[in-house]
Amino acid sequence: MTAKACNCIGCKFRIRLELRGKKLTSKQIETIISKGKSSEIKGFKSKKNDSTYSMFVTLANKETGELGFEYPPRDDSQSSKKPSTKNMSRELKS
């Protein structure tokens, strides 16, 4: 381990410790290497604005250490959509 990456001596395996404005911990790196996928990690920074988001980091290539990303499922229950009147009883519609 160096300050910027987790490298393998003798092969091409290398994982950068900072991704999208978030520094990964050694525990997260260990999980990614051993299980192939991290738990949900919060605090990644958007390139478009100052917002943050969470995602899972995956080990896309075991030989090179290339990482992939998976976004957690969306929680549509908190969206700003208006409720549908399709399944409401007649009394509630009026």
Side-chain angles (χ1 to χ4, degrees), residues 7 12-13 16 20-21 23-25 30 35 43 45 47-49 63 67-68 70 75 88-89:
N7 301 310
K12 297 178 183 180
F13 189 86
R16 292 181 300 147
R20 300 182 184 188
K23 187 166 183 168
L24 299 176
T25 66
E30 286 178 31
K35 296 183 178 180
K45 295 182 182 176
K47 291 180 181 180
K48 296 179 182 177
N49 53 38
E63 292 180 17
L67 299 177
E70 290 179 15
D75 184 10
M88 281 187 196
S89 65

Side-chain angles (χ1 to χ4, degrees), residues 1-37:
M1 295 257 311
T2 65
K4 294 186 177 188
C6 175
N7 301 310
C8 178
I9 298 171
C11 69
K12 297 178 183 180
F13 189 86
R14 180 174 187 258
I15 295 178
R16 292 181 300 147
L17 298 180
E18 189 171 327
L19 302 167
R20 300 182 184 188
K22 173 76 175 172
K23 187 166 183 168
L24 299 176
T25 66
S26 59
K27 178 80 173 162
Q28 291 167 331
I29 296 290
E30 286 178 31
T31 303
I32 294 166
I33 293 170
S34 64
K35 296 183 178 180
K37 183 178 179 179

Side-chain angles (χ1 to χ4, degrees), residues 28-62:
Q28 291 167 331
I29 296 290
E30 286 178 31
T31 303
I32 294 166
I33 293 170
S34 64
K35 296 183 178 180
K37 183 178 179 179
S38 71
S39 57
E40 186 174 346
I41 301 173
K42 298 180 181 183
F44 291 98
K45 295 182 182 176
S46 172
K47 291 180 181 180
K48 296 179 182 177
N49 53 38
D50 289 336
S51 66
T52 60
Y53 56 94
S54 61
M55 64 183 177
F56 299 96
V57 179
T58 61
L59 186 57
N61 187 323
K62 293 180 182 180

